[in-house]
Amino acid sequence: MTNSSNLPTHGRHILIDLWGCDRAALADGEALDALMRRAAESSGATVLQTCFHRFPPTGVSGIVIISESHLSIHTWPDEGFASADFYTCGDVRPEAAVEVLRAGLAAESSEVLVVDRGRGGRDRSIRVVDR
Amino acid sequence: MTNSSNLPTHGRHILIDLWGCDRAALADGEALDALMRRAAESSGATVLQTCFHRFPPTGVSGIVIISESHLSIHTWPDEGFASADFYTCGDVRPEAAVEVLRAGLAAESSEVLVVDRGRGGRDRSIRVVDR
């Protein structure tokens, strides 16, 4: 195992957990697709493709592939819970995407974790920025 | 903001950074698609769809949507670096997928971070399990 701590970061990975969301919004795959596209575009990312699937009884999983990496969302409508991740590189503002998602799901609370990928070392690469 | 610490976890999110990888393997989109499918299947997941894109000059981004959530990979062939994430729910063994990925890319070193999603609270939900 080599020491990789001097490597630069290769992108920011933002993990967002959202509670108390609008349950109808979490179950509507088409609306989630549109919301996630809007979130990506608000961050300045270029959307290449989206792939959304509904799961019985009500959950939705979706991915937005962007030129700058990806966004994903998985929803549990019965619990009002959603988990998303935004992996972005370059001149993208994922914070804007987080705000679009929070507003679009009418989330009561959320936690945002930021991991700078490719740096190695827990202390430098992981932080909770918002709860 | 509500206190969400008593909610159960909604899946394990594993972030894998890999250094010193085979550069040809990192640049071959079709081979990466097959490798990520094999990684998903080795974990016991059910593959629904894959979406892979090549980026100039040599990078690849890919997503595997599984019934149990998703796997992603982004590669920087010129640097021998790849970052992947496996988000899984239920009876899936993502550790098996990590081993398939490490072997398939001939990675010299790696770091595996595990985040239990949906629990709230940094102390309980984040750990580096392997470096």
Side-chain angles (χ1 to χ4, degrees):
Chain A
M1 303 283 274
T2 60
N3 180 346
S4 53
S5 61
N6 293 323
L7 283 175
T9 180
H10 288 78
R12 263 190 304 173
H13 204 161
I14 297 188
L15 312 186
I16 312 109
D17 286 343
L18 304 111
W19 294 272
C21 301
D22 181 297
R23 297 181 181 207
L26 295 181
D28 185 338
E30 288 187 17
L32 282 173
D33 189 328
L35 176 63
M36 290 291 282
R37 280 180 180 269
R38 198 163 73 243
E41 289 162 354
S42 75
S43 75
T46 301
V47 174
L48 297 177
Q49 184 176 356
T50 65
C51 312
F52 277 72
H53 286 267
R54 292 197 63 171
F55 292 96
T58 60
V60 175
S61 281
I63 302 281
V64 181
I65 298 185
I66 57 178
S67 293
E68 301 81 4
S69 293
H70 78 263
L71 289 73
S72 83
I73 188 166
H74 304 286
T75 72
W76 284 258
D78 291 347
E79 302 179 49
F81 176 75
S83 59
D85 74 315
F86 300 165
Y87 190 149
T88 59
C89 303
D91 292 330
V92 171
R93 303 175 308 281
E95 299 80 4
V98 172
E99 288 312 310
V100 169
L101 188 62
R102 280 178 173 148
L105 298 179
E108 291 177 358
S109 66
S110 59
E111 179 176 287
V112 178
L113 178 71
V114 177
V115 182
D116 290 327
R117 301 295 300 270
R119 296 176 64 172
R122 176 165 41 182
D123 293 340
R124 288 183 306 283
S125 65
I126 306 167
R127 57 196 184 276
V128 176
V129 298
D130 195 1
R131 298 186 63 181
Chain B
M1 304 285 277
T2 59
N3 180 346
S4 53
S5 61
N6 293 323
L7 283 175
T9 181
H10 288 78
R12 262 189 304 172
H13 203 163
I14 297 187
L15 312 186
I16 311 109
D17 286 344
L18 305 110
W19 294 273
C21 301
D22 181 297
R23 296 180 181 208
L26 295 180
D28 186 338
E30 288 187 17
L32 282 172
D33 188 328
L35 176 63
M36 290 290 282
R37 279 180 180 269
R38 198 163 74 244
E41 290 162 355
S42 74
S43 74
T46 301
V47 174
L48 297 177
Q49 184 177 357
T50 65
C51 312
F52 277 73
H53 286 268
R54 292 197 63 171
F55 293 96
T58 60
V60 175
S61 281
I63 302 280
V64 181
I65 298 184
I66 57 178
S67 293
E68 301 81 3
S69 293
H70 78 263
L71 290 73
S72 83
I73 187 166
H74 304 286
T75 72
W76 284 257
D78 291 346
E79 302 180 49
F81 176 75
S83 59
D85 74 314
F86 300 164
Y87 190 149
T88 59
C89 303
D91 293 330
V92 171
R93 303 175 308 282
E95 299 80 4
V98 172
E99 289 311 312
V100 169
L101 188 61
R102 280 177 174 148
L105 298 178
E108 291 178 357
S109 67
S110 59
E111 179 176 287
V112 178
L113 178 71
V114 178
V115 181
D116 290 327
R117 301 295 301 268
R119 296 176 65 171
R122 177 164 40 181
D123 293 340
R124 289 183 307 281
S125 64
I126 305 167
R127 57 195 184 275
V128 176
V129 297
D130 196 2
R131 299 185 64 180

